[in-house]
Amino acid sequence: MVCAINIIIILAILVAIKLTLISIFFYSDIRAVQKMDPAAKSFLEIILLYQGLHALIVYRIAHALYRIHLFLLARALSQMGRFLTGIEIHPGARIGKRFFVDHGMGVVIGETTIIGDDVLLYQGSTLGGTGIVKGKRHPTIGNNVVVGAGAKVLGNITIGDNSYIGANAVVVKDVPPNSTVVGVPGRITKQDGKKMDISLDHARILDPIMQSMEELQSRIDKLEKK
């Protein structure tokens, strides 16, 4: 009985140490979750229950192993993270600060992907490659970028800072900063050089084709009135 109590106490201490270390080393990432997800109620909830944070922790360790050429061990660890979280991040990818994957199931990030700071990915999004060429074959994502649910960003392209990739968009060309991309293939609508708000509602994304049609209709109405 005493032995069992001692084991429980030791396990509780180890868990407390683990939670403390995560809170220290991933403090900025946890704060980013609180900022980007209104459903996040506390630090403890995020640490225990957010698979996006768990996937990031596994990635950071796997990436460190990858950088010292322990490729097999790094891939094995990343596959374990994929199994546990449903988020696949290749250990060779380079990810900046305050990265958050919301919900996360089905997210895929390829080997040569580069992600800046303050980036938000929603579930089902893919940062993937095209073809079987060697070298840089995955996208480069700038700072303060949002990639909507189900969006696909493919190939060695660059997504400019402060841009928003709409849900289910398929992007295969470079995107300038401060832009919104919608549709298949992705169509760009500029945001007048203004910084995108990371909390932008999916339902309020502008569609450039619809904007053009509305402008044409407005011109037709004016001509008919003359």
Side-chain angles (χ1 to χ4, degrees), residues 80-130:
M80 182 186 72
R82 176 181 180 272
F83 175 78
L84 294 174
T85 66
I87 300 169
E88 182 174 345
I89 307 176
H90 194 285
R94 291 158 52 188
I95 298 177
K97 301 174 183 177
R98 297 176 295 279
F99 174 70
F100 176 42
V101 180
D102 197 0
H103 298 292
M105 184 61 69
V107 166
V108 177
I109 300 174
E111 178 187 15
T112 60
T113 301
I114 299 174
I115 299 176
D117 299 334
D118 302 296
V119 171
L120 169 62
L121 266 61
Y122 284 98
Q123 68 273 14
S125 55
T126 298
L127 307 180
T130 55

Side-chain angles (χ1 to χ4, degrees), residues 7-226:
I7 292 173
I8 292 173
I9 292 173
I10 292 171
L11 290 175
I13 292 172
L14 290 175
V15 169
I17 292 172
K18 177 182 177 182
L19 294 178
T20 302
L21 290 174
I22 291 174
S23 298
I24 293 171
F25 288 106
F26 291 88
Y27 177 80
S28 62
D29 297 297
I30 297 170
R31 290 289 295 167
V33 174
Q34 288 185 313
K35 178 182 177 181
M36 298 178 191
D37 185 2
K41 298 297 189 297
S42 67
F43 257 48
L44 186 60
E45 177 187 8
I46 294 168
I47 293 171
L48 293 178
L49 302 176
Y50 272 63
Q51 68 268 42
L53 178 64
H54 299 161
L56 182 62
I57 292 170
V58 173
Y59 157 77
R60 298 292 188 200
I61 299 170
H63 182 65
L65 295 173
Y66 192 88
R67 292 186 63 182
I68 59 175
H69 301 286
L70 295 176
F71 301 125
L72 182 61
L73 184 58
R75 283 304 304 274
L77 187 59
S78 70
Q79 288 300 107
M80 182 186 72
R82 176 181 180 272
F83 175 78
L84 294 174
T85 66
I87 300 169
E88 182 174 345
I89 307 176
H90 194 285
R94 291 158 52 188
I95 298 177
K97 301 174 183 177
R98 297 176 295 279
F99 174 70
F100 176 42
V101 180
D102 197 0
H103 298 292
M105 184 61 69
V107 166
V108 177
I109 300 174
E111 178 187 15
T112 60
T113 301
I114 299 174
I115 299 176
D117 299 334
D118 302 296
V119 171
L120 169 62
L121 266 61
Y122 284 98
Q123 68 273 14
S125 55
T126 298
L127 307 180
T130 55
I132 56 174
V133 296
K134 297 288 186 180
K136 184 75 168 71
R137 60 191 186 279
H138 297 97
T140 297
I141 310 296
N143 300 321
N144 195 43
V145 171
V146 178
V147 181
K152 315 300 178 188
V153 185
L154 306 175
N156 183 18
I157 62 175
T158 299
I159 307 299
D161 295 346
N162 311 313
S163 292
Y164 193 105
I165 309 301
N168 294 313
V170 177
V171 186
V172 293
K173 295 181 180 180
D174 290 345
V175 174
N178 309 302
S179 300
T180 295
V181 179
V182 298
V184 182
R187 303 182 297 275
I188 298 171
T189 175
K190 298 293 287 289
Q191 294 294 300
D192 301 324
K194 297 179 181 178
K195 182 177 179 179
M196 291 291 295
D197 184 353
I198 202 167
S199 62
L200 180 64
D201 189 342
H202 288 238
R204 294 191 291 128
I205 298 175
L206 300 176
D207 187 328
I209 291 180
M210 289 301 299
Q211 285 181 289
S212 297
M213 293 178 64
E214 289 173 359
E215 290 172 1
L216 288 172
Q217 184 62 51
S218 176
R219 292 176 63 183
I220 291 171
D221 291 341
K222 289 179 180 179
L223 288 171
E224 288 179 344
K225 289 179 181 179
K226 289 183 179 180

